[in-house]
């Protein structure tokens, strides 16, 4: 007898449709091969565990104040971090603390930054978000991120 939690692999999708879903993304898998069906079923059935995001201070409000394109990009990049993947454009912020990183978002002539810590096992801490106005990250932004992290740890 089958368990209620058992879910058959790709029950409602037919193989030709699966091949078109996988083929553009996976050049190693040839259409019409048995492995194509298996690859897509794994993609559909695999759940990705995501870390919780905790926004410290006014970091969430700052992201909400970004222009629409920058806000969407920040959300997408934070989702990548939640999935334990690296964002597309980042750099380490060792001046704040070991493991702290900065997501770099460029939109037209403006630059935006999200400083976060993702080395914790269960969560991502967003320490600070801001529009960058000079070539170098402002010292007060670094100090604010460090202060928020210290306050959270206490």
């Amino acid at each position: 007898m089958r368990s209620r939690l058992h879910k058959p692999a790709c029950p409602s999708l037919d193989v030709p449709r699966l091949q078109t879903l996988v083929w553009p993304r996976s050049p190693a898998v040839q259409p019409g091969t048995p492995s194509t069906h298996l690859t897509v079923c794994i993609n559909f059935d695999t759940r990705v565990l995501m870390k919780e995001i905790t926004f410290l201070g006014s970091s969430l409000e700052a992201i909400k104040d970004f222009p629409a394109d920058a806000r969407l990009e920040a959300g997408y990049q934070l989702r990548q971090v939640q999935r334990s993947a690296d964002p597309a454009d980042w750099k380490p912020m060792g001046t704040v603390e070991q493991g702290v990183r900065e997501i770099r978002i460029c939109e037209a002539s403006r630059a935006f930054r999200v400083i976060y810590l993702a080395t914790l096992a269960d969560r991502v801490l967003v320490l600070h978000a801001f529009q960058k106005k000079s070539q170098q990250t402002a010292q007060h932004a670094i100090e604010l991120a460090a202060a928020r992290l210290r306050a959270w740890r206490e």
Side-chain angles (χ1 to χ4, degrees):
M1 182 173 193
R2 281 190 162 165
S3 162
R4 285 183 161 178
L5 297 176
H6 181 266
K7 186 168 84 174
C10 303
S12 63
L13 299 174
D14 59 329
V15 174
R17 178 167 177 222
L18 293 174
Q19 290 169 352
T20 60
L21 290 173
V22 170
W23 172 247
R25 295 186 194 115
S26 302
V29 178
Q30 299 295 321
T33 62
S35 62
T36 305
H37 185 263
L38 177 62
T39 302
V40 175
C41 288
I42 290 170
N43 288 342
F44 280 107
D45 292 340
T46 303
R47 291 183 185 215
V48 177
L49 298 176
M50 293 196 304
K51 296 179 181 181
E52 175 184 331
I53 292 186
T54 302
F55 294 91
L56 301 182
S58 62
S59 57
L60 179 59
E61 289 77 20
I63 292 173
K64 287 179 179 179
D65 289 340
F66 286 3
D69 290 349
R71 188 174 56 244
L72 288 172
E73 184 65 20
Y76 176 77
Q77 297 304 328
L78 285 171
R79 177 62 56 105
Q80 293 296 98
V81 172
Q82 277 186 287
R83 294 178 175 162
S84 299
D86 287 336
D89 189 7
W90 65 275
K91 74 173 191 171
M93 295 292 290
T95 54
V96 175
E97 186 178 298
Q98 188 71 22
V100 174
R101 293 179 172 183
E102 176 183 70
I103 297 174
R104 303 188 298 190
I105 302 165
C106 295
E107 181 209 74
S109 62
R110 296 182 288 182
F112 299 89
R113 301 292 187 257
V114 178
I115 300 176
Y116 70 96
L117 175 70
T119 56
L120 302 171
D122 63 336
R123 72 185 64 238
V124 175
L125 293 178
V126 176
L127 306 173
H128 188 40
F130 58 97
Q131 180 178 350
K132 193 167 177 185
K133 297 181 178 163
S134 65
Q135 187 71 9
Q136 188 174 6
T137 302
Q139 189 61 35
H140 79 281
I142 294 170
E143 291 169 358
L144 180 59
R148 286 178 177 172
L149 183 56
R150 279 193 305 275
W152 180 81
R153 288 211 164 128
E154 292 175 353

